[in-house]
């Protein structure tokens, strides 16, 4: 098929194998899709691994709004460069690379110029579910190949294995960026709410940055893991004593729960000037009591992934500090079971698809 819409008329689109959904309530199943023809600045990547983010489930099941089915999720992609366009300067065939949640942005707005493409004022192009350059919805990494503009491709340091590095492309940067923005480091007390994909990365990063880390989990069932990952304290939120004993303890709380929570009791755990940063993305609104904010100048904030420059910085930080994700590698036909386990908080701590099994 000639890809007339891309403006690269001498190229054809690429067929790709994938697993995806054709409806909100349909199980994921094998599909064939077309990747756009290689533009001059594009890189074609043979995908080796793709992490399973809770956002994949929210999106595909329609939690966040209408979905352009068929939908292929996946935005924690690692692989090998297989082909480069004529004007690509930063990558060569054989390079170890990654792609996260974004594949394009306007490049011109104030936020893009600052390197915060995730906050592009025109809206960035997401790896899946956005409108792509070829006029078709973008399709994610539960697939064997993808074509991406080189400006949105990351370099995976040699020290990091491609499977355990895949979750860094979303869970990694989504926790690294707010820890940096809110200044986690020596002398700061950080709490991580929810020990799942994002949560376990937050614990590792905050500890590596020198902060004192407490995990706030539904139960103590993962306490040993939390302490091994770098936390010095681990509490169950099902125990009312947790909220009494930790009042006023934290400079920063990262909430990674994907469901709406009662925010008030968590705000009371912040010190004066402390911030509760919501990373979880439930569809339902959450109500916020204002007095805990007013009385100690506390903040309730949000944060979305990070820019391309900061994502590369995070990957290099991981190589320097020996940080990767704790993963369970699955074959493509295990994806529906993996999703059910994520939904029931039964993940330790990220499922990663071996894309050679597609
Ligand atoms: P995950 O692996 O499922 O982890 C979430 C954890 O939250 C669970 O392991 C569980 O930990 C806890 N939890 C889940 N349901 C809960 C409930 N009903 N009540 C209390 N605790 C609950 O998910 P994830 O991939 O880390 O993603 C978490 C959320 O962040 C999702 O909403 C996702 O869409 C969003 N997200 C945001 C960004 C961003 O940039 N802001 C990036 C990626 C993902 P415990 O068992 O320890 O309690
Ligand atoms: Zn994600
Ligand atoms: Zn922009």
């Amino acid at each position: 098929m000639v890809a007339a819409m891309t403006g690269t008329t001498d190229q054809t689109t690429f067929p790709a194998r994938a697993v995806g959904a054709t409806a909100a309530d349909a199980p994921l199943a094998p599909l064939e899709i077309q990747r756009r023809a290689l533009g001059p600045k594009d890189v074609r990547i043979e995908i080796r691994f793709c992490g399973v983010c809770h956002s994949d489930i929210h999106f595909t099941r329609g939690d966040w709004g209408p979905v352009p089915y068929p939908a292929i999720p996946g935005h924690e992609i690692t692989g090998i460069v297989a082909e480069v366009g004529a004007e690509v300067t930063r990558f060569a065939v054989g390079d170890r690379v990654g792609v996260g949640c974004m594949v394009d942005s306007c490049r011109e707005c104030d936020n893009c110029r600052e390197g915060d493409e995730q906050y592009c004022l025109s809206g960035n192009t997401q790896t899946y579910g956005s409108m792509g350059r070829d006029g078709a919805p973008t399709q994610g990494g539960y697939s064997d190949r993808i074509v991406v503009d080189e400006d949105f491709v990351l370099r995976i340091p040699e020290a990091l294995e491609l499977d355990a590095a895949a979750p860094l492309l979303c869970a990694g940067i989504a926790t690294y960026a707010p820890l940096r923005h809110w200044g986690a480091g020596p002398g700061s007390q950080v709490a991580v709410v929810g020990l799942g994909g994002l949560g376990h990365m937050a614990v590792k990063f905050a500890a590596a940055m020198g902060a004192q880390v407490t995990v706030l989990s539904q139960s103590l069932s993962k306490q040993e893991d939390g302490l091994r990952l770098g936390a010095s304290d681990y509490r169950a939120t099902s125990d009312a004593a947790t909220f009494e004993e930790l009042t006023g303890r934290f400079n920063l709380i990262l909430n990674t729960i994907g469901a709406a929570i009662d925010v008030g009791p968590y705000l009371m755990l912040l010190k004066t000037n402390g911030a509760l940063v919501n990373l979880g993305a439930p569809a339902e609104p959450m109500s916020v009591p204002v007095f805990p904010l007013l009385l100690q100048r506390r903040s309730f904030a949000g944060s979305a992934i990070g820019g391309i420059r900061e994502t590369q910085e995070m990957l290099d930080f991981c190589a320097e500090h020996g940080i990767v994700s704790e993963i369970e590698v699955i074959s493509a036909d295990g994806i529906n079971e993996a999703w059910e386990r994520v939904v029931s908080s039964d993940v330790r701590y990220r499922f990663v698809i071996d894309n050679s099994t597609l």
Side-chain angles (χ1 to χ4, degrees), residues 278-338:
N278 214 82
L279 303 180
E284 313 77 43
M286 301 202 289
S287 68
V288 179
V290 296
F291 277 94
L293 300 177
L294 306 185
L295 295 177
Q296 294 296 327
R297 200 164 58 193
R298 296 167 171 131
S299 317
F300 179 63
S303 178
I305 49 168
I308 294 298
R309 190 169 58 221
E310 192 171 31
T311 304
Q312 189 63 60
E313 175 191 306
M314 177 273 307
L315 290 166
D316 296 342
F317 180 91
C318 287
E320 191 182 324
H321 293 265
I323 292 175
V324 284
S325 181
E326 311 278 305
I327 59 167
E328 187 172 332
V329 176
I330 58 167
S331 59
D333 61 8
I335 188 64
N336 289 300
E337 190 193 330

Side-chain angles (χ1 to χ4, degrees), residues 193-226:
V193 188
L195 194 68
L198 266 63
H200 92 290
M201 290 311 310
V203 171
K204 288 190 175 203
F205 284 134
M209 290 172 191
Q212 290 268 89
V213 187
T214 299
V215 175
L216 302 175
S217 180
Q218 294 166 96
S219 75
L220 295 179
S221 65
K222 294 176 280 189
Q223 182 173 30
E224 219 172 276
D225 288 349

